[in-house]
Amino acid sequence: MNVKYLLLASVFTGQVAMAEDAPEPNPLTEVGVVKIEWQNPKDFRDIKTSTELQSRFEKRLFETLTKNINKQAEKSLKPGQTLSMQVTNLDLAGDMRPTFGATPGDLRIVKDLYPPRATFSFTVNEGDKVIVSGDEKITDMSFMYSSHRFNDRPFQYETTLFTDWLQKSVEPKL
């Protein structure tokens, strides 16, 4: 009789695990003047977490980055302009390392050896008119040496990666 319950429990557990792994459509986040499509996040180089469900972590990551990019975009863009991005790859600063049972999950080790990286295409529009567009592959090799190093905001290195790109690459073209 206990065997029946064990088998039944394993069937339900297997279905829950399969539901979590089901492919989701590309997430889309939009805040203010910024709209970002995160294309195939499962294929991103490194957006792993050890502290929460992967789907919740991704949602929090994408929403936080979109909000932070919007803060800089509102300063950089002229009134009436919008920024659209299609992110095809993201690599968070640091690298996930196993703890071999010392902690419940893996740890993200942040060293200058593992810089944040992103690959994306973008378009700055003013109404229906395209002002600037392009494909970018950005890396911040000096992310450990920036003045924001002691800031404890979530995803600070990735935010700096995108805001620096906006200031140095997009602003001069506007």
Side-chain angles (χ1 to χ4, degrees), residues 5-71:
Y5 291 120
L6 287 173
L7 289 173
L8 188 58
S10 68
V11 168
F12 287 130
T13 305
Q15 289 177 348
V16 170
M18 286 188 291
E20 181 66 32
D21 293 337
E24 295 180 17
N26 294 340
L28 184 68
T29 53
E30 190 169 359
V31 176
V33 297
V34 175
K35 180 179 177 181
I36 303 177
E37 180 183 1
W38 305 90
Q39 297 181 343
N40 301 316
K42 300 238 184 276
D43 295 336
F44 287 2
R45 185 169 178 184
D46 176 19
I47 57 168
K48 297 178 186 89
T49 181
S50 66
T51 57
E52 60 187 303
L53 284 173
Q54 184 66 31
S55 58
R56 283 189 202 157
F57 177 77
E58 288 176 12
K59 182 179 179 187
R60 187 168 58 88
L61 167 68
F62 299 152
E63 288 174 354
T64 301
L65 286 178
T66 303
K67 183 180 82 174
N68 293 340
I69 292 168
N70 183 63
K71 285 180 186 176

